[in-house]
Amino acid sequence: MLRIYLDATGLTQEAVGFLIDTQQANVSRILRGIRKRYSIEDVESFRDGLRIPGQLLGLQPGRHEDAGIPLGTERDSKSEPPEPQRFPQDQDAAATGTVTIVINPDLWDGDMERRALLQLAALGVGAGALGSTGEQVRQLLALALNSEHRDLEDWHLTLSDRLYAILTRPPAQARDGLLIDLVAIQRQLEIAEPSEAIELWRVVAALSMLHADTLTRLGDHDAAIHWWRTARAAADRTGDLDLRLMVRCEEAEFGLYGQRDPATILQLIDGAERLAGPTPSCRKVDLAGTRAKALTLQGRHSEAMVALNSFVNAAGEQMRGGILPSHRSDNVVHFTASWVHAAAGREPEADEKRGIVLANTRGYQFAANVRLHEALCAVVNGGTDTGARQATEILAGLPPAQRSHMILETGKTVLRAVPIERRDHPAVRDLRALTA
């Protein structure tokens, strides 16, 4: 179990020891098979420290998986956890409170399924995420059986599939598939030929970037920032300048949604532009668009307009290629213009760009945010109640699973535009409650 957890998470033995409240040397003994007997308290520490579903270990659910029981509440004393299975030779040990733990056999059809689901638990994908098709389990079983080696073409197809999922499905669904892919490519890298390794590292950078993207949509900013660093490190390892710039462009872009201060985002943009050098590229164009939005968040509307014009004038001049050629659509130009014009109260220009986005959008997220731009423009131009009601209707009309953090953060941008003296209006209070 610990070996699978270490492989899946990349943590050190010392880090895992900290999680389960033991020393690194003890973790080493467990991994080498020297230690074979554990108390119930030991197994509970595995469950709670590694966030493994208790059922898989023959225990009651841990606090991390039982949202229905608040912390500090005693469990139903009538509901006893199932006894861990004991081998016959362990009966004497039971009297001393130590047992040899075997995961509840009633839950499994085979050894590979047990290992696969343990790995799923180690990744933090609970049983509720499996869905009716069990596709995540199938993929992990294929990994455990070494039957899902992918060639480079398949990995590029995987990237396209994951990007499409991010744009069209709830972010939690997209995250689960990405975690499985990250485990798979880690395994493949361990046995890859040198001629294949660099391209696999390019895929790692892109998958890590998409995972950071998804975590941002879920509002898990600390984890997202860590994955942005992983994506940068993987991209830097390849020496691919376009990939290195793409990761940095996305990191700055997603920072706009409450992840980072606008001044920090401008620093990220400056650093990426220095890396790009004097040669024209589509990534430098993208950075100009992100700069326009960061300046808009700071209320520097004249400077934002200069950056927007630079972005619009250069967009389309540079061919897009690289590992994710469809990563940015032409809609980004119109979306950026909608945001910048709406925040400055330029209603006709914002209306025009919003119409173009809505006519060409690929998923629900662009559509929701660009409509929120319309509400923002109404508030900026004095229509506080109209804009607040409009924003509330847009957010309320989305299924809860589709209310990504990025959409809710755009709703908060509408709130922040409301003058202080009007923030107690009923329409504003309704919007505040929905974005809280």
Side-chain angles (χ1 to χ4, degrees), residues 9-24:
T9 63
L11 292 177
T12 64
Q13 292 182 17
E14 184 177 13
V16 170
F18 177 80
L19 291 175
I20 63 175
D21 195 25
T22 192
Q23 300 296 317
Q24 179 272 330

Side-chain angles (χ1 to χ4, degrees), residues 339-412:
W339 186 342
V340 173
H341 288 311
R346 293 187 285 267
E347 186 174 351
E349 294 89 341
D351 287 350
E352 177 189 359
K353 298 303 181 181
R354 181 179 67 257
I356 296 173
V357 173
L358 291 175
N360 297 282
T361 190
R362 287 196 285 173
Y364 67 92
Q365 300 181 72
F366 260 20
N369 272 354
V370 81
R371 290 170 60 215
L372 287 168
H373 295 168
E374 181 181 11
L376 171 62
C377 193
V379 171
V380 169
N381 287 331
T384 295
D385 291 348
T386 299
R389 279 194 296 268
Q390 186 175 11
T392 300
E393 290 171 2
I394 293 166
L395 295 174
L398 289 170
Q402 291 186 358
R403 291 178 202 159
S404 73
H405 174 83
M406 294 171 72
I407 291 174
L408 290 175
E409 186 63 28
T410 305
K412 291 178 182 179

Side-chain angles (χ1 to χ4, degrees), residues 282 316-321:
C282 62
E317 291 182 0
Q318 303 297 323
M319 293 294 295
R320 290 192 179 273

Side-chain angles (χ1 to χ4, degrees), residues 239-304:
D240 181 339
L241 180 59
D242 180 75
L243 178 59
R244 297 173 70 194
L245 290 173
M246 179 176 74
V247 169
R248 286 162 170 81
C249 285
E250 291 303 291
E251 182 177 11
E253 175 76 19
F254 280 80
L256 294 165
Y257 293 90
Q259 191 167 98
R260 285 181 157 128
D261 181 78
T264 302
I265 296 167
L266 291 171
Q267 290 177 12
L268 291 174
I269 294 169
D270 290 341
E273 288 180 338
R274 287 193 297 271
L275 176 64
T279 305
S281 76
C282 62
R283 309 304 175 190
K284 291 174 70 174
V285 175
D286 294 340
L287 289 167
T290 304
R291 183 182 295 277
K293 287 178 277 194
L295 291 168
T296 292
L297 289 177
Q298 292 184 320
R300 297 160 63 180
H301 298 297
S302 296
E303 294 171 81

Side-chain angles (χ1 to χ4, degrees), residues 192-219:
E193 297 293 335
S195 59
E196 184 184 51
I198 289 296
E199 188 61 25
L200 288 176
W201 277 113
R202 294 179 75 235
V203 175
V204 169
L207 283 174
S208 300
M209 180 189 77
L210 293 177
H211 191 44
D213 170 331
T214 304
L215 290 170
T216 303
R217 295 174 194 271
L218 290 167

Side-chain angles (χ1 to χ4, degrees), residues 37-261:
R37 298 176 184 239
Y38 309 92
S39 68
I40 295 299
E41 289 75 16
D42 289 333
V43 184
E44 287 177 340
S45 73
F46 296 161
R47 176 198 65 191
D48 298 335
L50 307 183
R51 303 180 71 83
I52 293 174
Q55 188 184 24
L56 300 186
L57 301 174
L59 300 173
Q60 283 186 299
R63 296 290 182 177
H64 62 279
E65 56 184 313
D66 193 347
I69 300 179
L71 290 175
T73 302
E74 292 297 323
R75 295 182 182 276
D76 184 355
S77 60
K78 297 179 181 178
S79 176
E80 295 296 330
E83 285 291 323
Q85 184 184 8
R86 297 179 174 89
F87 289 119
Q89 62 267 32
D90 292 326
Q91 296 302 317
D92 292 339
T96 65
T98 63
V99 295
T100 300
I101 298 299
V102 175
I103 296 174
N104 190 339
D106 296 333
L107 299 176
W108 314 106
D109 293 329
D111 185 63
M112 288 299 101
E113 184 176 6
R114 177 170 66 251
R115 291 179 64 240
L117 285 178
L118 274 172
Q119 186 175 64
L120 193 66
L123 286 169
V125 183
L130 300 181
S132 60
T133 66
E135 173 59 15
Q136 282 88 343
V137 178
R138 184 204 67 76
Q139 292 186 45
L140 283 171
L141 282 169
L143 290 175
L145 293 165
N146 294 319
S147 64
E148 193 141 323
H149 180 92
R150 305 181 212 179
D151 61 26
L152 295 176
E153 184 177 349
D154 282 340
W155 276 116
H156 290 171
L157 182 60
T158 294
L159 290 174
S160 297
D161 290 341
R162 294 309 177 205
L163 175 60
Y164 183 77
I166 288 171
L167 294 174
T168 60
R169 298 172 195 156
Q173 290 182 15
R175 174 200 58 200
D176 292 346
L178 280 162
L179 285 170
I180 292 169
D181 290 333
L182 285 161
V183 173
I185 199 163
Q186 177 192 20
R187 290 189 173 190
Q188 194 162 329
L189 267 169
E190 291 174 354
I191 59 173
E193 297 293 335
S195 59
E196 184 184 51
I198 289 296
E199 188 61 25
L200 288 176
W201 277 113
R202 294 179 75 235
V203 175
V204 169
L207 283 174
S208 300
M209 180 189 77
L210 293 177
H211 191 44
D213 170 331
T214 304
L215 290 170
T216 303
R217 295 174 194 271
L218 290 167
D220 194 348
H221 293 312
D222 287 341
I225 288 171
H226 285 300
W227 278 98
W228 289 124
R229 291 175 183 146
T230 298
R232 273 190 273 122
D236 290 348
R237 181 168 183 157
T238 69
D240 181 339
L241 180 59
D242 180 75
L243 178 59
R244 297 173 70 194
L245 290 173
M246 179 176 74
V247 169
R248 286 162 170 81
C249 285
E250 291 303 291
E251 182 177 11
E253 175 76 19
F254 280 80
L256 294 165
Y257 293 90
Q259 191 167 98
R260 285 181 157 128
D261 181 78

